[in-house]
Each structure stands twice: as structure tokens, then as C-alpha cells.
Amino acid sequence: MISDEFYIATALATLAGASIPIGAALSTYDRFLPGWLQEEFRHSVVAFGGGALMSAVALVLVPEGAARLAIAPTLVWFALGGLAFFLIDRTLAARGGHAAQFLAMMLDYVPEAMALGALLADNLELAILMAVLIALQNLPEGFNAFREMAQDGGASRMRLLVLFVFMVPIGPLAAHLGRTYLADHPAHLGAVMMFASGGILYLLFEDVAPQVPLERHWAPPLGAVAGFGLGLAGHMMVV
């Protein structure tokens, strides 16, 4: 018999993943904006995603992961996450092309979805917060990745949009893996959370932050503040 947790995990992970194609679709409309507003809009979306990523690390992944591990493994898994994402980033950068950009977007999505599924076992409110934070960061990631892949010209925008839609079921699958294999193993869940935290922090300062600055424009940094603020608001509602 299928448990209620199965349906809840499916619903939360699907909602979190749905923001990927939504962000991709949103990127098709920025072409109709004036040139000056188009650039401001793109940078603001990236900055918002950076704020959401930081809030996920600072408010959920690090506190919850560290609570399940001793100091030494906490630091080790955090460092391993940063190192692993660095190596993957270098490999993807060397390869380039659609596959590199597509896989880069999945690096933080999958482990976070696994953590979401595992959190359902003992903290539904925190799992909901995790789903919200994943959705907030997937929206600008989908926006940015779709725009870059479309500019490469290797596939039509419609085919790329279909590809992004097919990414949505990966979230529920990862959530069920987390619910099945991590929920009863706090140390393993903590390791996944810290590993993801180190990787996300690397991506944040390697890829997201450098895209944000614009001279005499204030919307991008305000976007980062807004993204983190929404995460903070959700965190304060459940603690």
C-alpha cells in the first residue's frame, strides 16, 4: 500500500522541479523587452537565484546537515562537495555544449531533492521549506540555462523546452530515493546535505555571482537580497 508520504514527496518534488521549465519559458519573453531593461532583467533573475541558493545553504542544508554529524565529518563532506563540484565544473567547461549546461543545472537539484524526501520522515514543515527553496533557485537556473543553450543554436527552442519539462520527474525520483534510503540513516542524510552545501557554495561564487554585477544598476543585488529574504521568511515561519 502506498503511504501518504509517497504522495507528499511526489507533490513537493514535482512542484519544486516544475519551476525549471517555467524559468525556461520565462527566458523566451525577455527578448521582447527593451535592450537596457533586458540586461537588467537577466542579471536580476540570476541574482535572485543566488539569494535563494544562499538561503538554502545557510538556513536548511548546513544547520540540518551539521546537526546529524560530528564536526570532523561535517567539514570533510562539505569540503568534498566543493571539490567534487569544482572537478565536475572543470570537466563540463572543457566539454562545453548542451550536455555540459544541462548537467550543471542538475548538480544541486538532485541532492537537494533527496534531502527533501528524507526530511519528510520527521519534519514536514522543513521539507515544505526545502521544496520552496528548491523551486526558488530552479526558476532562475532554468531561465539562465535555457537562454544559454538556445543561444548555442544546436536545437530549437521548442525541443529545448520539452527537454526541460522532462527534467521535472527527476525531482520526485530523487525524493523517493532520499525517503527510502536516507530517512533512517541520519549520518548519511547529513553527509548528503553537507556535500550539497559545499557544491552549491562553489557554484554560487564560481558561476552565479560573477554574472550579477552591472555598473550603476541596483536591481541585481536587490534581487539577491529578495531571494535570500524569501528563504528567511519561510525559515522563520517553521521554527
Side-chain angles (χ1 to χ4, degrees), residues 8-208:
I8 295 173
T10 300
L12 290 178
T14 299
L15 289 174
S19 61
I20 294 177
I22 292 175
L26 183 63
S27 73
T28 64
Y29 291 98
D30 73 338
R31 295 174 296 163
F32 302 104
L33 298 174
W36 64 272
L37 185 57
Q38 184 181 90
E39 195 68 14
E40 181 90 353
F41 178 70
R42 289 175 178 175
H43 281 71
S44 299
V45 169
V46 173
F48 182 87
L53 280 168
M54 182 62 76
S55 67
V57 171
L59 301 177
V60 179
L61 293 175
V62 168
E64 294 297 321
R68 291 167 169 80
L69 296 170
I71 295 177
T74 294
L75 298 177
V76 168
W77 282 109
F78 182 81
L80 285 176
L83 179 61
F85 276 50
F86 160 73
L87 294 175
I88 294 172
D89 182 52
R90 289 293 299 271
T91 302
L92 296 179
R95 292 180 56 188
H98 301 323
Q101 294 160 346
F102 183 79
L103 291 174
M105 187 167 53
M106 302 298 296
L107 290 177
D108 56 345
Y109 178 40
V110 172
E112 285 183 312
M114 292 179 66
L116 185 159
L119 287 172
L120 281 173
D122 58 3
N123 196 328
L124 175 59
E125 292 182 336
L126 190 59
I128 293 174
L129 172 61
M130 192 73 215
V132 172
L133 293 178
I134 295 173
L136 288 176
Q137 67 194 51
N138 278 345
L139 185 70
E141 285 182 345
F143 176 96
N144 205 40
F146 183 90
R147 182 171 60 86
E148 292 180 355
M149 293 171 71
Q151 288 175 349
D152 285 345
S156 68
R157 289 178 175 267
M158 182 56 65
R159 288 185 177 181
L160 286 177
L161 190 57
V162 171
L163 177 63
F164 276 56
V165 170
F166 278 126
M167 292 179 65
V168 176
I170 295 176
L173 177 61
H176 291 310
L177 289 174
R179 186 179 67 91
T180 303
Y181 298 106
L182 297 179
D184 296 329
H185 300 87
H188 295 170
L189 174 59
V192 169
M193 287 180 161
M194 295 311 304
F195 185 87
S197 297
I200 290 172
L201 203 59
Y202 169 82
L203 290 179
L204 184 61
F205 285 96
E206 168 64 20
D207 183 52
V208 178

